[in-house]
Amino acid sequence: MSEIYLYDSLSNKKRKFEPIDQNHVRIYACGPTVYNYAHIGNARMAVVFDSFVRLLRNKYPKVTYVSNITDIDDKIIEAANESNIPINELTKKYTDIYNADMSYLNVLHPDIQPKATEYVEDMINFIDKLIQKDKAYEKDGHVFFHVPSHEGYGKLSNREIDQQLAGSRVQVSDIKKNQQDFVLWKPSSKSQPGWESPWGIGRPGWHTECCVMSEVNLKIPFDIHGGGQDLLFPHHENEIAQSCASVNSDNPEDYAKYWIHNGFVTIDGEKMSKSLNNIILLNDLLKEHDGETIRLALLSSHYRKSLDWNENVIKQSKVLLDKVYDFLDTCDDDPEGEIDESLMENFSNDLDIPKVLTSINELLKNKNSSSPGTIKQSLLFAGSILGVFDKKPSEWNMQIEISDSELAEIEKLINERKTLKENKDFTGADAIRDSLLEKGVELIDSEDGTTWKYKS
Ligand SMILES: [Zn+2]
């Protein structure tokens, strides 16, 4: 079976993936800060890492995937104040919506999804350890990490300290010893959420959260740490500094062995930003397109490159799905055939999905040069890592007869119902089932999840 090669942002090269423990691969990816609906940048990260995890699961006996929820942050406090909703209600609402939206994209729930607020005590202990080691200091209720005390600082982002100064827009604070020092703990006012600590009532800094949640759940060093490219500096650099300092090391691999970053999503060639008012929320997108189409579109450009989101990307994704399901519709249930070897080779080569998609198009174009069994087995194999092609062809074709928006609405409600059931809100879950039944849509629950059919 092909060896897996990954582009490692730490060494800036493609490296053969050799897990620390062959019997248990451990991976962590920074999840969302929950104060609003997820946008397609969040969705791309979730889908990319989900496909990585599917690839690793294909090769290794056990994979533990941890992806966190940041549920304490200044942006959350601001949003809660603006909307006049208690913070825990706001974060619960957007966590549930995030998880429902991701399941709609066929993103498997991480094995562990830690929430920052549940780890504050561990964070306090972690910060205390850094103070004991003279890597951090307290000042006026704040605790800062002292960057010059850490030899290896800058290895991930390849920045010299001077450059960091030049690129920094952070205001010089009088209470910091050094401009690059970053906050591990900050004081909370009475109206802000806070926890008791040796430094007074306060809350943890974002960079500390991931160090603690990854270490508690995976132990360090673990194999892969990832996230969006925008997190590389300062978030991941600062994570490395703290976690390595906590074990007296200046080698980033003593925290995580490989670092993976996915590229940005641009909208019609422009950066997605609040000021350009072009942020696309997944929740809106799901009203127009089904999750499988969106997922395939999100995977259509190489994960490290930026992905330009436009009508064409969605169209191409739908055309390919139509072709695949049309073909599967002509196949026997379980035909014999060999999986095309190039597929695993391309997945294993730093998750080269564009090449996989080219192979799929070729297979379908030259239908007569391979047996139907070979093509079907190859498509299903590729689909198992891409997270697509797992509907019955009749289900896919049925959705063509109803409008995309109707279908999306049904699937969205199914996902909302699933979340409600997970949260033991059975009354809410039943209300969704009944409202669909009134529209002639019958839900069928099974061990594999929920499907639906028109009531006969
Ligand atoms: Zn993080």
Side-chain angles (χ1 to χ4, degrees), residues 146-158:
H146 192 39
V147 169
S149 76
H150 184 63
E151 275 284 305
Y153 196 82
K155 281 187 181 162
L156 176 67
S157 52
N158 290 315

Side-chain angles (χ1 to χ4, degrees), residues 223-328:
D223 296 298
I224 299 173
H225 192 314
Q229 197 187 317
D230 52 327
L231 300 187
L232 195 143
F233 185 85
H235 184 54
H236 288 163
E237 193 72 79
N238 289 354
E239 276 189 44
I240 290 173
Q242 296 166 84
S243 290
C244 287
S246 77
V247 292
N248 306 319
S249 163
D250 57 16
N251 177 6
E253 284 195 32
D254 286 330
Y255 176 35
K257 194 171 171 187
Y258 304 85
W259 288 77
I260 299 179
H261 292 94
N262 67 274
F264 292 112
V265 178
T266 55
I267 311 294
D268 288 319
E270 297 213 76
K271 201 174 169 220
M272 189 163 56
S273 76
K274 234 184 192 173
S275 56
L276 290 171
N277 200 20
N278 63 353
I279 294 178
I280 296 182
L281 301 178
L282 194 58
N283 209 264
D284 292 332
L285 211 52
L286 286 169
K287 289 174 190 151
E288 290 170 44
H289 308 283
D290 80 295
E292 192 170 2
T293 311
I294 298 170
R295 177 167 178 130
L296 194 59
L298 284 168
L299 290 172
S300 61
S301 86
H302 191 276
Y303 82 90
R304 278 197 294 119
K305 298 204 172 119
S306 48
L307 164 70
D308 192 43
W309 194 261
N310 52 53
E311 269 308 304
N312 220 11
V313 177
I314 279 278
K315 232 183 258 167
Q316 277 177 359
S317 161
K318 195 154 188 313
V319 167
L320 180 57
L321 286 164
D322 281 341
K323 278 199 276 186
V324 167
Y325 281 113
D326 276 350
F327 177 81
L328 292 177

Side-chain angles (χ1 to χ4, degrees), residues 19-140:
I20 297 164
D21 175 359
Q22 289 279 342
N23 294 316
H24 187 191
V25 174
R26 292 161 297 147
I27 170 167
Y28 184 94
C30 295
T33 302
V34 282
Y35 63 99
N36 200 344
Y37 290 96
H39 56 65
I40 53 169
N42 304 124
R44 186 182 192 200
M45 173 265 156
V47 165
V48 162
F49 281 89
D50 182 59
S51 281
F52 262 120
V53 170
R54 287 166 182 260
L55 172 65
L56 293 166
R57 289 218 168 101
N58 189 278
K59 190 172 163 69
Y60 295 98
K62 184 177 174 192
V63 177
T64 300
Y65 175 41
V66 179
S67 188
N68 68 295
I69 294 283
T70 291
D71 60 349
I72 176 73
D73 185 90
D74 287 358
K75 283 184 201 141
I76 296 175
I77 299 175
E78 219 173 278
N81 286 341
E82 269 171 27
S83 57
N84 224 354
I85 301 176
I87 285 177
N88 53 354
E89 270 179 42
L90 182 96
T91 55
K92 187 180 180 316
K93 174 181 163 184
Y94 287 113
T95 303
D96 289 348
I97 291 173
Y98 176 80
N99 282 333
D101 283 353
M102 292 312 133
S103 70
Y104 190 55
L105 295 185
N106 211 10
V107 170
L108 304 170
H109 197 72
D111 298 296
I112 303 170
Q113 187 179 53
K115 295 187 177 76
T117 51
E118 292 168 2
Y119 290 77
V120 176
E121 210 182 304
D122 297 302
M123 292 175 202
I124 291 171
N125 292 336
F126 179 80
I127 294 168
D128 199 38
K129 189 153 98 179
L130 292 175
I131 295 175
Q132 303 299 326
K133 288 179 186 286
D134 271 342
K135 299 288 182 181
Y137 57 94
E138 189 264 346
K139 185 87 207 244
D140 298 345

Side-chain angles (χ1 to χ4, degrees), residues 208-227:
T208 304
E209 296 175 5
C210 289
C211 294
V212 170
M213 289 186 278
S214 60
E215 182 171 358
V216 171
N217 290 298
L218 292 174
K219 305 278 174 275
I220 62 169
F222 53 91
D223 296 298
I224 299 173
H225 192 314

